[in-house]
């Protein structure tokens, strides 16, 4: 099964989830693509600094730098160190997969190039843009996305923040077909995730993406085996959230919430 990954840079969980797909055995990742837009998480540093302050932001930044050091050391030794990849580029190079950075996956030139690769599935790990019809219809078996909430609840942006902000006791992960609306397609797999009393944004993001990566693998297996079960996504019964504001982050921090 030929798969193309469309996602955004992440040094914590997405590289591990890509590695999980590779280890299924029947999957061929033909390209890993990092989408860089204004709405990408890596371009939201100012929002986090203003909302959480320098202390928590620097602490998170130091964690990211540590991951980059590990990834650089791994590349120097030919990716033979017994460490998990800590970047999209790192996991792609480790497994000899083409890697590219783009800004618009709906661009005609990009679509033509992807069409020539004849993917069976395009997998999105929270890609930061809406896929349009031409892209959605390219793969033979559709585009599927991992969203880190229990849809239809907490659709949209930063569900890990909003579930903590709203003092939820549990959240979840959902793998769903993609359409031209955000987190709107039919559901292919879900799992509940409990929220710990001392949960931070970082720990909850890592927890949900870890579980979500496992659910994605199960969904891919079921699609490959012809045993996939599809259920409706009753969006009218759920909730949708956009990017938190600086005041939302400040209010969260004031109530004891933490980024890391």
């Amino acid at each position: 099964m030929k798969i193309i990954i469309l996602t955004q840079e992440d040094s914590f969980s997405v590289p591990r989830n890509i590695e999980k797909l590779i280890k299924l055995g029947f999957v061929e990742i033909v390209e890993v693509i990092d989408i860089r837009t204004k709405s990408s998480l890596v371009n939201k540093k100012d929002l986090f600094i203003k909302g959480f302050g320098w202390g928590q932001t620097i602490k998170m930044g130091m964690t990211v730098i540590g991951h980059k050091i590990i990834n650089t050391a791994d590349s120097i030794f030919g990716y033979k160190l017994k460490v998990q990849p800590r970047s999209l580029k790192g996991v792609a190079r480790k497994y000899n997969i083409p890697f590219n950075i783009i800004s618009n996956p709906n661009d005609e030139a990009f679509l033509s190039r992807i069409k020539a690769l004849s993917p069976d599935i395009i997998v999105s790990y929270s890609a930061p843009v809406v896929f349009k019809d031409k892209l959605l219809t390219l793969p033979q078996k559709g585009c599927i996305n991992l969203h880190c909430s229990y849809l239809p609840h907490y659709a949209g942006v930063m569900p890990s923040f909003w579930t903590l902000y709203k003092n939820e006791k549990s959240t979840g992960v959902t793998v769903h077909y993609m359409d031209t609306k955000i987190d709107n397609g039919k559901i292919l797999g879900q799992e509940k995730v409990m929220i710990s009393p001392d949960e931070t944004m970082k720990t909850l993001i890592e927890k949900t993406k870890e579980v979500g990566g496992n659910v994605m693998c199960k969904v891919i297996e079921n699609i490959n085996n012809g045993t996939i079960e599809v259920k409706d996504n009753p969006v009218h019964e759920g909730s949708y959230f956009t990017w938190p504001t600086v005041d939302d982050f400040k209010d969260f921090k004031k109530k004891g919430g933490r980024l890391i």
Side-chain angles (χ1 to χ4, degrees), residues 67-128:
H67 287 187
K68 288 183 177 180
I69 291 171
I70 292 170
N71 209 61
T72 300
D74 197 20
S75 67
I76 291 171
F77 289 96
Y79 298 99
K80 294 179 180 179
L81 299 181
K82 293 183 178 180
V83 297
Q84 292 178 317
R86 304 300 175 99
S87 72
L88 299 179
K89 190 175 184 179
V91 72
R93 285 186 171 179
K94 180 176 179 178
Y95 293 98
N96 297 312
I97 300 168
F99 170 77
N100 281 292
I101 299 174
I102 65 168
S103 60
N104 180 15
N106 298 299
D107 176 74
E108 288 293 338
F110 175 77
L111 293 175
S112 295
R113 186 170 67 78
I114 295 304
K115 184 178 181 180
L117 295 174
S118 300
D120 294 297
I121 296 174
I122 288 178
V123 168
S124 160
Y125 290 107
S126 303

Side-chain angles (χ1 to χ4, degrees), residues 24-249:
L24 288 176
F26 61 86
V27 166
E28 177 191 0
I29 307 291
V30 295
E31 190 165 341
V32 174
I33 297 164
D34 177 6
I35 303 174
R36 299 282 179 94
T37 69
K38 289 181 179 180
S39 58
S40 297
L41 196 59
V42 294
N43 292 324
K44 294 289 184 179
K45 296 182 183 71
D46 287 348
L47 177 63
F48 285 92
I49 291 170
K50 291 175 182 178
F52 284 102
W54 283 100
Q56 290 194 43
T57 306
I58 289 173
K59 189 175 180 181
M60 178 65 84
M62 293 302 293
T63 303
V64 173
I65 290 170
H67 287 187
K68 288 183 177 180
I69 291 171
I70 292 170
N71 209 61
T72 300
D74 197 20
S75 67
I76 291 171
F77 289 96
Y79 298 99
K80 294 179 180 179
L81 299 181
K82 293 183 178 180
V83 297
Q84 292 178 317
R86 304 300 175 99
S87 72
L88 299 179
K89 190 175 184 179
V91 72
R93 285 186 171 179
K94 180 176 179 178
Y95 293 98
N96 297 312
I97 300 168
F99 170 77
N100 281 292
I101 299 174
I102 65 168
S103 60
N104 180 15
N106 298 299
D107 176 74
E108 288 293 338
F110 175 77
L111 293 175
S112 295
R113 186 170 67 78
I114 295 304
K115 184 178 181 180
L117 295 174
S118 300
D120 294 297
I121 296 174
I122 288 178
V123 168
S124 160
Y125 290 107
S126 303
V129 295
V130 174
F131 290 9
K132 295 182 180 179
D133 283 327
K134 285 187 177 181
L135 177 57
L136 291 168
T137 56
L138 274 182
Q140 297 177 24
K141 298 182 180 181
C143 297
I144 61 178
N145 177 60
L146 169 62
H147 179 72
C148 291
S149 81
Y150 203 86
L151 292 177
H153 307 291
Y154 292 94
V157 181
M158 300 249 353
S160 295
F161 167 78
W162 288 114
T163 51
L164 290 173
Y165 186 78
K166 300 288 184 180
N167 295 311
E168 299 286 2
K169 302 302 181 186
S170 68
T171 180
V173 299
T174 306
V175 175
H176 63 93
Y177 279 126
M178 301 174 75
D179 59 22
T180 55
K181 296 181 181 179
I182 297 174
D183 302 328
N184 186 74
K186 290 184 181 293
I187 293 170
L188 303 172
Q190 286 186 298
E191 189 170 328
K192 289 280 182 73
V193 175
M194 299 306 297
I195 297 175
S196 303
D198 60 346
E199 206 82 72
T200 68
M201 278 183 63
K202 177 180 178 292
T203 61
L204 187 57
I205 289 170
E206 289 182 319
K207 184 189 292 185
T208 52
K209 286 190 176 182
E210 177 72 20
V211 175
N214 296 336
V215 173
M216 178 66 79
C217 286
K218 185 62 177 177
V219 166
I220 295 293
E221 285 181 324
N222 289 341
I223 290 174
N224 186 60
N225 296 333
T227 58
I228 192 69
E229 294 182 6
V230 181
K231 67 177 185 177
D232 288 335
N233 182 3
V235 292
H236 60 284
E237 299 176 8
S239 53
Y240 179 88
F241 294 85
T242 59
W243 269 100
T245 64
V246 170
D247 287 340
D248 290 329
F249 280 153

